Amino acid sequence: VVAASAACTSAFLLLPSSTWYPGHHHKAKNQERHLPSFPLGVTTTVLREGSTPWSQDDDEEVGEDVGTVTEPLPLLDQYHMKMYDLAKRTARDASAVEKAQALMQEAEQQGLVTVDIGLYNLLWETYAYASHWEDGVSAIEREIQQRLEECDDDAVAKPNLESYAILVEGYAQRGNVEQLENLLDRLENEIGTQYVDLKPDLTIYNKMVWAYGVMRQADKAKELFQRLLSESGALSENDNDNNSQAELRPNANTWARLLRALALDGRVDEVKEHLRLLRQGHQDFGYEDWKVNVNCYNALILALLTDGKNSKEDSIRPNALSQQAEKIVYEMIQAHRDENARADEMRLEYESSEDGSGSVCPNRETFSLLFQCFRGETSVGVAAKIEKLLELQQALADAEPESWSIQADTKMYNG
């Protein structure tokens, strides 16, 4: 089984080739999902990646008890959920764009989208990830500009920063660095000056760092990150720095995207150095969102894996690589135990996000990367070791029932 897995190509590989890959982006970890904002209050937690956000039966009512008479989902929310489903699968479904356009025309005929930009954002997301449609980003930009020119009309939905974030994703998927940077320049100057609410915020800059990573532009990602550190005064000891923009201080998402951009280029030493800066920043300045978490450790394993694949030295692959990755995983587990112990002492529940990314507990991506590090290894006992690691993953999932991101899935076993 191990020998066969070394030769097979798995659909869930988290380490892509040197080219950008729109199809994988919209299914794997590089995807930047947009949960639609429902103005009528429908809960969005069911729209987590991997869930089924919409029933095949358009007329089905939503209710907890079989005998209960409930009102159908508000019509606008129905369109949001249908459009979300199309946006989620557009990279692997060439018909998604056409279906989304037809759905938008239908919603417009219903008079539902006059002031709702959320539905347009989801439509534009299908354009962004339509890998077969090279002019998809041009279509987004044209439609955004048209709406900006008509924004004085109260009946026209005005683009927001999420609209431009989707445009950033579209450029990233097509590897167009020049147009991406031109867009940021226009947002910072022309557009941001004319429309104050479209001045780039940290979310846009995080998206830019992510985009540079997707396009394998690690130096540009690092340069933008350093700019954010400088302009926000994040590492300045002068609290009265009037020239700083504190709202642009990098957060956990910024760090995660930078580390991943470096990792995809195999820059192990730079990932380690930035992890050191992250720890130091948390210690010296007390930034609560500057903590090493599972995404940071995953980036380090990814960097080792990329460096190992790029290296011509046999000493790096495969035995030494798997040993280093395995050591990191056990370090994560020990750090997670220490977190829980401290939380128990303080009688507080350890705070983490729903997908566990706020913790250091290894997740599904961690083990996926770890198993990739074993590919090609032929040492005695490697099959038994992998089985033991699978058992460890299952034990962690059993111990963390609320963290759905640890459990192994079919794609992992296939790999």
Side-chain angles (χ1 to χ4, degrees), residues 177 208-226 257-268 270-271 274:
V177 178
M208 288 290 300
V209 175
W210 166 87
Y212 283 136
V214 170
M215 297 186 292
R216 306 300 184 269
Q217 297 287 332
D219 286 334
K220 289 183 178 294
K222 190 167 64 170
E223 181 182 343
L224 179 56
F225 182 83
Q226 292 296 330
R257 283 155 176 75
L258 172 68
L259 292 171
R260 192 169 187 86
L262 296 171
L264 286 169
D265 208 26
R267 302 187 183 188
V268 178
E270 290 189 47
V271 170
H274 280 84

PDB file of all heavy atoms in Angstrom, residues 177 208-226 257-268 270-271 274:
ATOM      1  N   VAL A 177      -0.023  39.424 -12.049  1.00  0.00           N
ATOM      2  CA  VAL A 177       0.546  40.246 -10.977  1.00  0.00           C
ATOM      3  C   VAL A 177       0.378  41.729 -11.274  1.00  0.00           C
ATOM      4  O   VAL A 177       0.011  42.522 -10.389  1.00  0.00           O
ATOM      5  CB  VAL A 177       2.037  39.912 -10.782  1.00  0.00           C
ATOM      6  CG1 VAL A 177       2.639  40.799  -9.687  1.00  0.00           C
ATOM      7  CG2 VAL A 177       2.213  38.446 -10.426  1.00  0.00           C
ATOM      8  N   MET A 208      -4.396  40.362  -0.508  1.00  0.00           N
ATOM      9  CA  MET A 208      -3.255  40.590  -1.397  1.00  0.00           C
ATOM     10  C   MET A 208      -2.094  39.658  -1.029  1.00  0.00           C
ATOM     11  O   MET A 208      -1.447  39.074  -1.915  1.00  0.00           O
ATOM     12  CB  MET A 208      -2.805  42.042  -1.318  1.00  0.00           C
ATOM     13  CG  MET A 208      -3.743  43.039  -1.984  1.00  0.00           C
ATOM     14  SD  MET A 208      -3.759  42.910  -3.795  1.00  0.00           S
ATOM     15  CE  MET A 208      -2.045  43.250  -4.186  1.00  0.00           C
ATOM     16  N   VAL A 209      -1.819  39.536   0.267  1.00  0.00           N
ATOM     17  CA  VAL A 209      -0.749  38.632   0.698  1.00  0.00           C
ATOM     18  C   VAL A 209      -1.061  37.205   0.261  1.00  0.00           C
ATOM     19  O   VAL A 209      -0.192  36.477  -0.232  1.00  0.00           O
ATOM     20  CB  VAL A 209      -0.554  38.709   2.232  1.00  0.00           C
ATOM     21  CG1 VAL A 209       0.477  37.671   2.692  1.00  0.00           C
ATOM     22  CG2 VAL A 209      -0.112  40.105   2.650  1.00  0.00           C
ATOM     23  N   TRP A 210      -2.314  36.812   0.445  1.00  0.00           N
ATOM     24  CA  TRP A 210      -2.752  35.489  -0.007  1.00  0.00           C
ATOM     25  C   TRP A 210      -2.544  35.338  -1.512  1.00  0.00           C
ATOM     26  O   TRP A 210      -2.059  34.297  -1.986  1.00  0.00           O
ATOM     27  CB  TRP A 210      -4.219  35.296   0.357  1.00  0.00           C
ATOM     28  CG  TRP A 210      -4.863  34.126  -0.334  1.00  0.00           C
ATOM     29  CD1 TRP A 210      -4.868  32.829   0.081  1.00  0.00           C
ATOM     30  CD2 TRP A 210      -5.581  34.151  -1.571  1.00  0.00           C
ATOM     31  NE1 TRP A 210      -5.538  32.048  -0.824  1.00  0.00           N
ATOM     32  CE2 TRP A 210      -5.989  32.832  -1.849  1.00  0.00           C
ATOM     33  CE3 TRP A 210      -5.926  35.161  -2.469  1.00  0.00           C
ATOM     34  CZ2 TRP A 210      -6.714  32.505  -2.990  1.00  0.00           C
ATOM     35  CZ3 TRP A 210      -6.645  34.834  -3.607  1.00  0.00           C
ATOM     36  CH2 TRP A 210      -7.035  33.521  -3.862  1.00  0.00           C
ATOM     37  N   ALA A 211      -2.936  36.357  -2.285  1.00  0.00           N
ATOM     38  CA  ALA A 211      -2.828  36.295  -3.740  1.00  0.00           C
ATOM     39  C   ALA A 211      -1.379  36.132  -4.180  1.00  0.00           C
ATOM     40  O   ALA A 211      -1.071  35.350  -5.093  1.00  0.00           O
ATOM     41  CB  ALA A 211      -3.432  37.555  -4.359  1.00  0.00           C
ATOM     42  N   TYR A 212      -0.473  36.858  -3.537  1.00  0.00           N
ATOM     43  CA  TYR A 212       0.937  36.710  -3.877  1.00  0.00           C
ATOM     44  C   TYR A 212       1.401  35.276  -3.625  1.00  0.00           C
ATOM     45  O   TYR A 212       2.214  34.727  -4.378  1.00  0.00           O
ATOM     46  CB  TYR A 212       1.784  37.687  -3.061  1.00  0.00           C
ATOM     47  CG  TYR A 212       1.732  39.122  -3.555  1.00  0.00           C
ATOM     48  CD1 TYR A 212       1.605  40.185  -2.660  1.00  0.00           C
ATOM     49  CD2 TYR A 212       1.829  39.403  -4.913  1.00  0.00           C
ATOM     50  CE1 TYR A 212       1.570  41.498  -3.113  1.00  0.00           C
ATOM     51  CE2 TYR A 212       1.794  40.724  -5.372  1.00  0.00           C
ATOM     52  CZ  TYR A 212       1.661  41.763  -4.458  1.00  0.00           C
ATOM     53  OH  TYR A 212       1.619  43.063  -4.912  1.00  0.00           O
ATOM     54  N   GLY A 213       0.890  34.668  -2.569  1.00  0.00           N
ATOM     55  CA  GLY A 213       1.250  33.280  -2.293  1.00  0.00           C
ATOM     56  C   GLY A 213       0.760  32.350  -3.383  1.00  0.00           C
ATOM     57  O   GLY A 213       1.491  31.459  -3.832  1.00  0.00           O
ATOM     58  N   VAL A 214      -0.483  32.535  -3.816  1.00  0.00           N
ATOM     59  CA  VAL A 214      -1.051  31.702  -4.878  1.00  0.00           C
ATOM     60  C   VAL A 214      -0.229  31.819  -6.155  1.00  0.00           C
ATOM     61  O   VAL A 214      -0.022  30.835  -6.875  1.00  0.00           O
ATOM     62  CB  VAL A 214      -2.520  32.100  -5.147  1.00  0.00           C
ATOM     63  CG1 VAL A 214      -3.063  31.428  -6.405  1.00  0.00           C
ATOM     64  CG2 VAL A 214      -3.394  31.736  -3.948  1.00  0.00           C
ATOM     65  N   MET A 215       0.255  33.030  -6.434  1.00  0.00           N
ATOM     66  CA  MET A 215       1.013  33.272  -7.663  1.00  0.00           C
ATOM     67  C   MET A 215       2.507  33.010  -7.504  1.00  0.00           C
ATOM     68  O   MET A 215       3.291  33.338  -8.390  1.00  0.00           O
ATOM     69  CB  MET A 215       0.773  34.712  -8.130  1.00  0.00           C
ATOM     70  CG  MET A 215      -0.672  35.002  -8.507  1.00  0.00           C
ATOM     71  SD  MET A 215      -0.910  36.652  -9.222  1.00  0.00           S
ATOM     72  CE  MET A 215      -0.570  37.689  -7.793  1.00  0.00           C
ATOM     73  N   ARG A 216       2.910  32.447  -6.361  1.00  0.00           N
ATOM     74  CA  ARG A 216       4.310  32.150  -6.071  1.00  0.00           C
ATOM     75  C   ARG A 216       5.175  33.403  -6.136  1.00  0.00           C
ATOM     76  O   ARG A 216       6.246  33.428  -6.731  1.00  0.00           O
ATOM     77  CB  ARG A 216       4.861  31.090  -7.035  1.00  0.00           C
ATOM     78  CG  ARG A 216       4.039  29.813  -7.085  1.00  0.00           C
ATOM     79  CD  ARG A 216       3.971  29.135  -5.724  1.00  0.00           C
ATOM     80  NE  ARG A 216       3.252  27.881  -5.834  1.00  0.00           N
ATOM     81  CZ  ARG A 216       1.927  27.744  -5.658  1.00  0.00           C
ATOM     82  NH1 ARG A 216       1.191  28.817  -5.351  1.00  0.00           N
ATOM     83  NH2 ARG A 216       1.348  26.567  -5.763  1.00  0.00           N
ATOM     84  N   GLN A 217       4.682  34.447  -5.477  1.00  0.00           N
ATOM     85  CA  GLN A 217       5.414  35.710  -5.408  1.00  0.00           C
ATOM     86  C   GLN A 217       5.728  35.992  -3.931  1.00  0.00           C
ATOM     87  O   GLN A 217       5.241  36.955  -3.338  1.00  0.00           O
ATOM     88  CB  GLN A 217       4.582  36.846  -6.007  1.00  0.00           C
ATOM     89  CG  GLN A 217       4.257  36.692  -7.470  1.00  0.00           C
ATOM     90  CD  GLN A 217       5.460  36.930  -8.359  1.00  0.00           C
ATOM     91  OE1 GLN A 217       6.371  37.678  -8.002  1.00  0.00           O
ATOM     92  NE2 GLN A 217       5.471  36.306  -9.523  1.00  0.00           N
ATOM     93  N   ALA A 218       6.540  35.124  -3.344  1.00  0.00           N
ATOM     94  CA  ALA A 218       6.823  35.215  -1.911  1.00  0.00           C
ATOM     95  C   ALA A 218       7.486  36.529  -1.532  1.00  0.00           C
ATOM     96  O   ALA A 218       7.205  37.097  -0.468  1.00  0.00           O
ATOM     97  CB  ALA A 218       7.694  34.033  -1.480  1.00  0.00           C
ATOM     98  N   ASP A 219       8.387  37.035  -2.383  1.00  0.00           N
ATOM     99  CA  ASP A 219       9.066  38.294  -2.063  1.00  0.00           C
ATOM    100  C   ASP A 219       8.076  39.454  -1.993  1.00  0.00           C
ATOM    101  O   ASP A 219       8.189  40.332  -1.131  1.00  0.00           O
ATOM    102  CB  ASP A 219      10.140  38.592  -3.109  1.00  0.00           C
ATOM    103  CG  ASP A 219      11.369  37.704  -2.951  1.00  0.00           C
ATOM    104  OD1 ASP A 219      11.613  37.249  -1.819  1.00  0.00           O
ATOM    105  OD2 ASP A 219      12.061  37.464  -3.954  1.00  0.00           O
ATOM    106  N   LYS A 220       7.114  39.474  -2.900  1.00  0.00           N
ATOM    107  CA  LYS A 220       6.104  40.538  -2.890  1.00  0.00           C
ATOM    108  C   LYS A 220       5.199  40.411  -1.666  1.00  0.00           C
ATOM    109  O   LYS A 220       4.783  41.415  -1.078  1.00  0.00           O
ATOM    110  CB  LYS A 220       5.284  40.504  -4.181  1.00  0.00           C
ATOM    111  CG  LYS A 220       6.054  40.959  -5.411  1.00  0.00           C
ATOM    112  CD  LYS A 220       5.184  40.971  -6.644  1.00  0.00           C
ATOM    113  CE  LYS A 220       5.953  41.482  -7.862  1.00  0.00           C
ATOM    114  NZ  LYS A 220       6.323  42.908  -7.729  1.00  0.00           N
ATOM    115  N   ALA A 221       4.874  39.175  -1.278  1.00  0.00           N
ATOM    116  CA  ALA A 221       4.069  38.964  -0.072  1.00  0.00           C
ATOM    117  C   ALA A 221       4.807  39.485   1.152  1.00  0.00           C
ATOM    118  O   ALA A 221       4.229  40.162   2.016  1.00  0.00           O
ATOM    119  CB  ALA A 221       3.744  37.478   0.089  1.00  0.00           C
ATOM    120  N   LYS A 222       6.098  39.196   1.220  1.00  0.00           N
ATOM    121  CA  LYS A 222       6.912  39.643   2.357  1.00  0.00           C
ATOM    122  C   LYS A 222       7.051  41.164   2.361  1.00  0.00           C
ATOM    123  O   LYS A 222       6.996  41.798   3.432  1.00  0.00           O
ATOM    124  CB  LYS A 222       8.288  38.967   2.301  1.00  0.00           C
ATOM    125  CG  LYS A 222       9.122  39.169   3.536  1.00  0.00           C
ATOM    126  CD  LYS A 222      10.325  38.235   3.552  1.00  0.00           C
ATOM    127  CE  LYS A 222      11.271  38.514   2.423  1.00  0.00           C
ATOM    128  NZ  LYS A 222      12.547  37.768   2.561  1.00  0.00           N
ATOM    129  N   GLU A 223       7.221  41.750   1.195  1.00  0.00           N
ATOM    130  CA  GLU A 223       7.349  43.210   1.087  1.00  0.00           C
ATOM    131  C   GLU A 223       6.084  43.914   1.561  1.00  0.00           C
ATOM    132  O   GLU A 223       6.146  44.904   2.308  1.00  0.00           O
ATOM    133  CB  GLU A 223       7.637  43.580  -0.359  1.00  0.00           C
ATOM    134  CG  GLU A 223       7.815  45.069  -0.605  1.00  0.00           C
ATOM    135  CD  GLU A 223       8.062  45.394  -2.066  1.00  0.00           C
ATOM    136  OE1 GLU A 223       8.407  44.475  -2.838  1.00  0.00           O
ATOM    137  OE2 GLU A 223       7.905  46.578  -2.433  1.00  0.00           O
ATOM    138  N   LEU A 224       4.916  43.404   1.156  1.00  0.00           N
ATOM    139  CA  LEU A 224       3.661  44.007   1.598  1.00  0.00           C
ATOM    140  C   LEU A 224       3.472  43.822   3.094  1.00  0.00           C
ATOM    141  O   LEU A 224       3.005  44.732   3.796  1.00  0.00           O
ATOM    142  CB  LEU A 224       2.489  43.386   0.832  1.00  0.00           C
ATOM    143  CG  LEU A 224       1.097  43.905   1.195  1.00  0.00           C
ATOM    144  CD1 LEU A 224       1.008  45.425   1.038  1.00  0.00           C
ATOM    145  CD2 LEU A 224       0.024  43.218   0.345  1.00  0.00           C
ATOM    146  N   PHE A 225       3.847  42.670   3.605  1.00  0.00           N
ATOM    147  CA  PHE A 225       3.741  42.410   5.046  1.00  0.00           C
ATOM    148  C   PHE A 225       4.605  43.390   5.833  1.00  0.00           C
ATOM    149  O   PHE A 225       4.164  43.950   6.852  1.00  0.00           O
ATOM    150  CB  PHE A 225       4.150  40.968   5.337  1.00  0.00           C
ATOM    151  CG  PHE A 225       4.028  40.585   6.782  1.00  0.00           C
ATOM    152  CD1 PHE A 225       2.814  40.178   7.303  1.00  0.00           C
ATOM    153  CD2 PHE A 225       5.129  40.620   7.623  1.00  0.00           C
ATOM    154  CE1 PHE A 225       2.699  39.820   8.639  1.00  0.00           C
ATOM    155  CE2 PHE A 225       5.023  40.264   8.959  1.00  0.00           C
ATOM    156  CZ  PHE A 225       3.801  39.859   9.465  1.00  0.00           C
ATOM    157  N   GLN A 226       5.834  43.604   5.386  1.00  0.00           N
ATOM    158  CA  GLN A 226       6.725  44.547   6.070  1.00  0.00           C
ATOM    159  C   GLN A 226       6.157  45.958   6.020  1.00  0.00           C
ATOM    160  O   GLN A 226       6.287  46.731   6.987  1.00  0.00           O
ATOM    161  CB  GLN A 226       8.111  44.510   5.417  1.00  0.00           C
ATOM    162  CG  GLN A 226       8.867  43.211   5.631  1.00  0.00           C
ATOM    163  CD  GLN A 226       9.185  42.951   7.093  1.00  0.00           C
ATOM    164  OE1 GLN A 226       9.358  43.881   7.890  1.00  0.00           O
ATOM    165  NE2 GLN A 226       9.255  41.674   7.462  1.00  0.00           N
ATOM    166  N   ARG A 257      -1.125  33.804   6.051  1.00  0.00           N
ATOM    167  CA  ARG A 257      -0.980  33.924   4.598  1.00  0.00           C
ATOM    168  C   ARG A 257       0.470  34.179   4.194  1.00  0.00           C
ATOM    169  O   ARG A 257       0.939  33.674   3.179  1.00  0.00           O
ATOM    170  CB  ARG A 257      -1.903  35.028   4.078  1.00  0.00           C
ATOM    171  CG  ARG A 257      -3.355  34.576   4.005  1.00  0.00           C
ATOM    172  CD  ARG A 257      -4.332  35.748   4.094  1.00  0.00           C
ATOM    173  NE  ARG A 257      -5.703  35.306   3.927  1.00  0.00           N
ATOM    174  CZ  ARG A 257      -6.424  34.665   4.853  1.00  0.00           C
ATOM    175  NH1 ARG A 257      -5.857  34.365   6.011  1.00  0.00           N
ATOM    176  NH2 ARG A 257      -7.670  34.308   4.617  1.00  0.00           N
ATOM    177  N   LEU A 258       1.171  34.975   4.988  1.00  0.00           N
ATOM    178  CA  LEU A 258       2.580  35.209   4.695  1.00  0.00           C
ATOM    179  C   LEU A 258       3.386  33.915   4.832  1.00  0.00           C
ATOM    180  O   LEU A 258       4.184  33.576   3.951  1.00  0.00           O
ATOM    181  CB  LEU A 258       3.150  36.266   5.637  1.00  0.00           C
ATOM    182  CG  LEU A 258       4.675  36.439   5.540  1.00  0.00           C
ATOM    183  CD1 LEU A 258       5.061  37.037   4.192  1.00  0.00           C
ATOM    184  CD2 LEU A 258       5.201  37.280   6.681  1.00  0.00           C
ATOM    185  N   LEU A 259       3.171  33.209   5.935  1.00  0.00           N
ATOM    186  CA  LEU A 259       3.918  31.975   6.163  1.00  0.00           C
ATOM    187  C   LEU A 259       3.651  30.958   5.066  1.00  0.00           C
ATOM    188  O   LEU A 259       4.558  30.248   4.620  1.00  0.00           O
ATOM    189  CB  LEU A 259       3.554  31.391   7.534  1.00  0.00           C
ATOM    190  CG  LEU A 259       4.021  32.205   8.748  1.00  0.00           C
ATOM    191  CD1 LEU A 259       3.422  31.639  10.025  1.00  0.00           C
ATOM    192  CD2 LEU A 259       5.541  32.227   8.831  1.00  0.00           C
ATOM    193  N   ARG A 260       2.414  30.904   4.607  1.00  0.00           N
ATOM    194  CA  ARG A 260       2.092  29.960   3.538  1.00  0.00           C
ATOM    195  C   ARG A 260       2.747  30.376   2.220  1.00  0.00           C
ATOM    196  O   ARG A 260       3.198  29.524   1.454  1.00  0.00           O
ATOM    197  CB  ARG A 260       0.583  29.847   3.370  1.00  0.00           C
ATOM    198  CG  ARG A 260       0.179  28.673   2.480  1.00  0.00           C
ATOM    199  CD  ARG A 260      -1.309  28.394   2.526  1.00  0.00           C
ATOM    200  NE  ARG A 260      -1.620  27.188   1.794  1.00  0.00           N
ATOM    201  CZ  ARG A 260      -1.571  25.961   2.273  1.00  0.00           C
ATOM    202  NH1 ARG A 260      -1.169  25.783   3.526  1.00  0.00           N
ATOM    203  NH2 ARG A 260      -1.882  24.915   1.550  1.00  0.00           N
ATOM    204  N   ALA A 261       2.784  31.669   1.954  1.00  0.00           N
ATOM    205  CA  ALA A 261       3.447  32.147   0.738  1.00  0.00           C
ATOM    206  C   ALA A 261       4.926  31.764   0.751  1.00  0.00           C
ATOM    207  O   ALA A 261       5.482  31.330  -0.264  1.00  0.00           O
ATOM    208  CB  ALA A 261       3.289  33.663   0.610  1.00  0.00           C
ATOM    209  N   LEU A 262       5.566  31.920   1.898  1.00  0.00           N
ATOM    210  CA  LEU A 262       6.971  31.526   2.025  1.00  0.00           C
ATOM    211  C   LEU A 262       7.128  30.011   1.921  1.00  0.00           C
ATOM    212  O   LEU A 262       8.074  29.507   1.302  1.00  0.00           O
ATOM    213  CB  LEU A 262       7.532  32.021   3.361  1.00  0.00           C
ATOM    214  CG  LEU A 262       7.604  33.545   3.559  1.00  0.00           C
ATOM    215  CD1 LEU A 262       7.966  33.880   5.005  1.00  0.00           C
ATOM    216  CD2 LEU A 262       8.605  34.173   2.593  1.00  0.00           C
ATOM    217  N   ALA A 263       6.190  29.284   2.513  1.00  0.00           N
ATOM    218  CA  ALA A 263       6.263  27.821   2.512  1.00  0.00           C
ATOM    219  C   ALA A 263       6.130  27.252   1.109  1.00  0.00           C
ATOM    220  O   ALA A 263       6.815  26.287   0.754  1.00  0.00           O
ATOM    221  CB  ALA A 263       5.175  27.253   3.421  1.00  0.00           C
ATOM    222  N   LEU A 264       5.251  27.836   0.305  1.00  0.00           N
ATOM    223  CA  LEU A 264       5.044  27.350  -1.052  1.00  0.00           C
ATOM    224  C   LEU A 264       6.280  27.544  -1.921  1.00  0.00           C
ATOM    225  O   LEU A 264       6.394  26.944  -2.991  1.00  0.00           O
ATOM    226  CB  LEU A 264       3.840  28.051  -1.685  1.00  0.00           C
ATOM    227  CG  LEU A 264       2.476  27.605  -1.164  1.00  0.00           C
ATOM    228  CD1 LEU A 264       1.376  28.543  -1.650  1.00  0.00           C
ATOM    229  CD2 LEU A 264       2.177  26.175  -1.587  1.00  0.00           C
ATOM    230  N   ASP A 265       7.200  28.378  -1.448  1.00  0.00           N
ATOM    231  CA  ASP A 265       8.465  28.587  -2.153  1.00  0.00           C
ATOM    232  C   ASP A 265       9.598  27.799  -1.496  1.00  0.00           C
ATOM    233  O   ASP A 265      10.758  27.951  -1.872  1.00  0.00           O
ATOM    234  CB  ASP A 265       8.804  30.088  -2.163  1.00  0.00           C
ATOM    235  CG  ASP A 265       9.654  30.480  -3.363  1.00  0.00           C
ATOM    236  OD1 ASP A 265       9.580  29.794  -4.396  1.00  0.00           O
ATOM    237  OD2 ASP A 265      10.397  31.475  -3.266  1.00  0.00           O
ATOM    238  N   GLY A 266       9.236  26.999  -0.480  1.00  0.00           N
ATOM    239  CA  GLY A 266      10.233  26.163   0.179  1.00  0.00           C
ATOM    240  C   GLY A 266      11.219  26.905   1.050  1.00  0.00           C
ATOM    241  O   GLY A 266      12.326  26.420   1.301  1.00  0.00           O
ATOM    242  N   ARG A 267      10.839  28.064   1.549  1.00  0.00           N
ATOM    243  CA  ARG A 267      11.773  28.895   2.336  1.00  0.00           C
ATOM    244  C   ARG A 267      11.679  28.537   3.819  1.00  0.00           C
ATOM    245  O   ARG A 267      11.091  29.269   4.632  1.00  0.00           O
ATOM    246  CB  ARG A 267      11.473  30.368   2.111  1.00  0.00           C
ATOM    247  CG  ARG A 267      11.551  30.783   0.643  1.00  0.00           C
ATOM    248  CD  ARG A 267      11.421  32.276   0.490  1.00  0.00           C
ATOM    249  NE  ARG A 267      11.412  32.697  -0.900  1.00  0.00           N
ATOM    250  CZ  ARG A 267      11.470  33.959  -1.297  1.00  0.00           C
ATOM    251  NH1 ARG A 267      11.530  34.937  -0.402  1.00  0.00           N
ATOM    252  NH2 ARG A 267      11.440  34.259  -2.589  1.00  0.00           N
ATOM    253  N   VAL A 268      12.274  27.426   4.167  1.00  0.00           N
ATOM    254  CA  VAL A 268      12.176  26.901   5.535  1.00  0.00           C
ATOM    255  C   VAL A 268      12.752  27.885   6.547  1.00  0.00           C
ATOM    256  O   VAL A 268      12.131  28.182   7.579  1.00  0.00           O
ATOM    257  CB  VAL A 268      12.903  25.546   5.637  1.00  0.00           C
ATOM    258  CG1 VAL A 268      12.841  25.022   7.074  1.00  0.00           C
ATOM    259  CG2 VAL A 268      12.283  24.540   4.670  1.00  0.00           C
ATOM    260  N   GLU A 270      13.189  31.111   6.377  1.00  0.00           N
ATOM    261  CA  GLU A 270      12.400  32.335   6.516  1.00  0.00           C
ATOM    262  C   GLU A 270      11.105  32.075   7.282  1.00  0.00           C
ATOM    263  O   GLU A 270      10.653  32.935   8.047  1.00  0.00           O
ATOM    264  CB  GLU A 270      12.101  32.927   5.135  1.00  0.00           C
ATOM    265  CG  GLU A 270      13.321  33.505   4.443  1.00  0.00           C
ATOM    266  CD  GLU A 270      12.963  34.271   3.185  1.00  0.00           C
ATOM    267  OE1 GLU A 270      12.033  35.092   3.232  1.00  0.00           O
ATOM    268  OE2 GLU A 270      13.611  34.041   2.145  1.00  0.00           O
ATOM    269  N   VAL A 271      10.507  30.911   7.080  1.00  0.00           N
ATOM    270  CA  VAL A 271       9.323  30.561   7.864  1.00  0.00           C
ATOM    271  C   VAL A 271       9.679  30.496   9.344  1.00  0.00           C
ATOM    272  O   VAL A 271       8.972  31.038  10.193  1.00  0.00           O
ATOM    273  CB  VAL A 271       8.727  29.216   7.392  1.00  0.00           C
ATOM    274  CG1 VAL A 271       7.647  28.736   8.365  1.00  0.00           C
ATOM    275  CG2 VAL A 271       8.138  29.346   5.995  1.00  0.00           C
ATOM    276  N   HIS A 274      10.203  34.044  10.741  1.00  0.00           N
ATOM    277  CA  HIS A 274       8.954  34.779  10.967  1.00  0.00           C
ATOM    278  C   HIS A 274       8.151  34.183  12.130  1.00  0.00           C
ATOM    279  O   HIS A 274       7.426  34.913  12.819  1.00  0.00           O
ATOM    280  CB  HIS A 274       8.121  34.814   9.689  1.00  0.00           C
ATOM    281  CG  HIS A 274       8.579  35.850   8.714  1.00  0.00           C
ATOM    282  ND1 HIS A 274       9.612  35.632   7.826  1.00  0.00           N
ATOM    283  CD2 HIS A 274       8.159  37.132   8.490  1.00  0.00           C
ATOM    284  CE1 HIS A 274       9.808  36.728   7.101  1.00  0.00           C
ATOM    285  NE2 HIS A 274       8.946  37.649   7.480  1.00  0.00           N
TER     286      HIS A 274
END
